[in-house]
Amino acid sequence: MHRRNFLTGLAGLAISGPAAAQMMHDMGHMGANGAHDMAMTGGKPVLPEGQPLRELPRLLNEAGEAGLFKARLAAGPGLVRFADRLDTPALLYNDGNPVIEAREGDRVEISFRNGIPDEPTTVHWHGMPVPADQDGNPMESIASGSERLYAFDLPQGSAACYWFHPHPHGFTASQVYRGLAGIFLVKPKVDPIPAEYGDTILMFTDLRIAEDGSMPASNMIDVMNGRVGDHILVNGQKNPVFPARKGEKRRLRLFNATNARFLRLTFENAAMALVGTDGGLIEAPVGIDDLLLAPAERVELIISFDRPGAAKLVTLDYDRGWMGPGKPEAAGITLLTADVSEEAAPNVPPLPATLRSIEHLSKPAVTRRFVLTESMEGTEMKFLINGASFDMKRIDEVSKVGQVELWEIVNQADMDHPFHVHGTQFQLVEREKNGAVTQPSYRAWKDTVNVAAGETVRILLRQDLPGRRMYHCHILEHEDLGMMGTVDVRA
Ligand code: C2O
Ligand code: CU
Ligand code: CU
């Protein structure tokens, strides 16, 4: 689509779907430069920085027996204190963003209650190999005030950093930015990463907060680009600090739980090794200088703090494509600081040279092609896959259990779109842009892959469970606007 046409069309822009009314209402409060710019001026709340990094609350396992994780989870309104003396109305799972920790082989039973006034919701277990009818699909929404049980088994080999979030069509973006997300850690029976490295969860969220402490509703710029906030938070804190000792190695699990932030990251004054991706450990550690963590992606890193002083996790520049005013600064944000002591850490075991082996997906039985476009139809902005907007009554693709498939995702749009598939993990085969093809240098399981503007990404995947699965852009506003489809996997 032509950018100029797009911008001229902005004023009379219309959108469809359940979220439309809310957004049109918000439009009424937008100044010429949008509510985002407006909020940048004047008495913006200051968030405290440099506090000790806190751990997210754990969801209590109520089961009295080994091999079972049983808990109660509720979504509902609550207050969070991000800035001094200001309460922020938010949506919470229990008291915040809980961590569920279970093991391979465990049975999981979560009774869930939707306490969100007047809105449906679901709980989607992002990246997890759970049965389709337990995966919080938009087709199985839970009405306000209702309950349901989510139950599934965690197969062998499924150890990884997953997360969970709502997936009710048209409400996903706003429920997530208002606070609904949690971590689901599946631990392996035997972990090759030395226990001495610790195990630290770093959950990134994105907060926009007004003078009165509230979270402003989204405007049209947010809806088009995906909502970006004023503050990137780690476990709910701005630039928290944790202590480390010289020579120490730490295991960090990074979760991009933002609606639409592309985080290109580096650790200043420390060395990074990538050891895991969305679907768990890779085969061997890979030394890296920086990495791109697109919305919904996760990585596991081993950080070596070899020099005393401050070691900062900072953002680098990244152009993800932006429409209209208010393009956020990508570079130079400090997310987290490690305070590294002069005193050396005793007995730091080396990082093993191999971590596990990953089966090699090959010989696809079918090839599917998914073309991502942004278009303006009349005054209506559309985010489409193969020319179609999401319709939960439509099946877009029919697949077979156990069949290896090659999916070709072609981004013909001006923005990057992180592409996500439910119910399984896939392998990146190659990326192609302007005729140049690049292959990854290591094998990895992924459930979300960024497809840059103008790029084609090829992945191999196999669904091992039957049922309807969603695939979509994980900029949640794009998903809500229809950049989503359904594959029916048949036995
Ligand atoms: Cu993380 Cu369909 O979602
Ligand atoms: Cu998902
Ligand atoms: Cu998108």
Side-chain angles (χ1 to χ4, degrees):
M1 181 192 52
H2 206 272
R3 212 169 269 266
R4 186 182 305 273
N5 294 343
F6 177 80
L7 288 175
T8 339
L10 241 182
L13 194 63
I15 46 173
S16 55
Q22 175 72 52
M23 289 162 189
M24 296 317 287
H25 171 260
D26 303 335
M27 282 284 284
H29 302 295
M30 264 177 79
N33 296 319
H36 189 198
D37 292 336
M38 197 170 66
M40 299 301 285
T41 59
K44 289 238 64 177
V46 176
L47 269 58
E49 294 187 49
Q51 296 184 331
L53 174 70
R54 65 173 171 236
E55 278 189 35
L56 295 173
R58 299 263 155 169
L59 191 65
L60 183 73
N61 185 0
E62 294 172 355
E65 52 191 288
L68 178 64
F69 187 96
K70 196 179 163 92
R72 277 170 295 183
L73 186 72
L79 294 174
V80 185
R81 182 147 291 193
F82 293 109
D84 217 24
R85 294 190 304 273
L86 276 183
D87 281 328
T88 299
L91 292 177
L92 307 174
Y93 279 132
N94 296 0
D95 296 320
N97 304 108
V99 175
I100 299 175
E101 184 179 319
R103 282 186 174 277
E104 287 178 348
D106 281 359
R107 168 89 181 153
V108 178
E109 293 179 7
I110 310 241
S111 46
F112 173 72
R113 178 171 188 280
N114 177 8
I116 309 168
D118 306 319
E119 290 184 18
T121 194
T122 75
V123 185
H124 168 56
W125 312 101
H126 181 118
M128 301 182 67
V130 311
D133 61 358
Q134 304 300 311
D135 206 16
N137 281 338
M139 298 81 94
E140 294 181 58
S141 76
I142 303 160
S144 176
S146 301
E147 300 189 14
R148 80 155 275 178
L149 178 72
Y150 288 105
F152 46 85
D153 297 299
L154 300 172
Q156 296 305 324
S158 64
C161 306
Y162 304 105
W163 63 301
F164 57 97
H165 62 78
H167 220 299
H169 191 50
F171 296 94
T172 299
S174 77
Q175 290 185 2
V176 173
Y177 81 67
R178 285 186 285 162
L180 291 181
I183 302 298
F184 202 126
L185 216 57
V186 179
K187 294 272 185 109
K189 290 260 156 68
V190 187
D191 201 325
I193 307 286
E196 289 84 349
Y197 297 3
D199 195 338
T200 305
I201 288 169
L202 303 174
M203 182 194 202
F204 302 125
T205 55
D206 199 356
L207 174 72
R208 189 183 307 162
I209 181 172
E211 219 171 317
D212 64 355
S214 69
M215 296 184 204
S218 285
N219 59 50
M220 198 52 74
I221 297 294
D222 298 326
V223 173
M224 283 186 304
N225 294 288
R227 178 184 172 108
V228 168
D230 306 327
H231 308 276
I232 304 170
L233 304 181
V234 182
N235 298 354
Q237 297 172 289
K238 186 163 181 174
N239 185 17
V241 174
F242 70 91
R245 279 181 294 180
K246 194 178 71 174
E248 192 172 0
K249 292 188 196 304
R250 295 287 291 265
R251 177 190 208 163
L252 306 183
R253 302 180 189 250
L254 280 57
F255 297 75
N256 187 338
T258 69
N259 281 40
R261 277 276 188 175
F262 289 72
L263 299 169
R264 207 179 130 228
L265 302 171
T266 191
F267 231 115
E268 290 177 347
N269 214 25
M272 295 196 289
L274 178 76
V275 293
T277 53
D278 304 334
L281 295 176
I282 55 178
E283 295 185 303
V286 177
I288 53 171
D289 294 323
D290 60 83
L291 70 116
L292 178 67
L293 198 68
E297 285 188 306
R298 291 89 63 207
V299 288
E300 284 185 62
L301 302 175
I302 305 300
I303 308 296
S304 303
F305 296 105
D306 295 325
R307 283 184 295 265
K312 292 169 189 276
L313 179 65
V314 297
T315 62
L316 301 170
D317 202 24
Y318 183 73
D319 183 10
R320 42 82 97 208
W322 188 267
M323 290 183 171
K327 182 177 176 203
E329 207 51 68
I333 304 167
T334 301
L335 300 182
L336 173 81
T337 303
D339 190 6
V340 186
S341 69
E342 296 276 353
E343 184 204 342
N347 322 320
V348 180
L351 180 58
T354 58
L355 303 171
R356 68 160 168 173
S357 65
I358 291 180
E359 74 168 300
H360 180 47
L361 292 182
S362 63
K363 300 200 183 63
V366 294
T367 297
R368 298 178 202 276
R369 187 177 156 89
F370 300 90
V371 180
L372 313 180
T373 53
E374 300 148 4
S375 79
M376 184 77 86
E377 287 172 18
T379 57
E380 195 165 355
M381 183 69 201
K382 299 256 189 192
F383 291 89
L384 307 172
I385 301 180
N386 292 341
S389 186
F390 178 65
D391 177 352
M392 46 178 117
K393 294 188 282 300
R394 189 184 66 226
I395 304 278
D396 296 281
E397 306 284 334
V398 176
S399 171
K400 257 196 256 166
V401 166
Q403 170 171 281
V404 176
E405 306 192 345
L406 179 74
W407 285 25
E408 188 171 65
I409 306 123
V410 184
N411 186 347
Q412 293 179 349
D414 290 331
M415 277 185 260
D416 288 17
H417 295 288
F419 189 84
H420 168 54
V421 187
H422 286 198
T424 192
Q425 295 284 327
F426 54 72
Q427 290 176 3
L428 177 62
V429 178
E430 61 189 17
R431 297 175 173 276
E432 181 175 350
K433 192 168 179 177
N434 303 325
V437 178
T438 54
Q439 269 115 17
S441 57
Y442 55 90
R443 199 175 296 159
W445 289 119
K446 299 275 298 156
D447 56 55
T448 307
V449 63
N450 188 44
V451 189
E455 188 177 48
T456 293
V457 167
R458 296 187 181 89
I459 60 175
L460 281 167
L461 60 75
R462 187 184 68 215
Q463 294 278 3
D464 290 329
L465 294 169
R468 289 189 200 182
R469 300 292 186 175
M470 327 309 301
Y471 52 86
H472 60 87
C473 173
H474 220 288
I475 289 179
L476 297 176
E477 287 74 7
H478 294 174
E479 176 197 324
D480 274 344
L481 284 178
M483 198 173 243
M484 175 154 69
T486 305
V487 54
D488 188 11
V489 183
R490 298 192 178 157

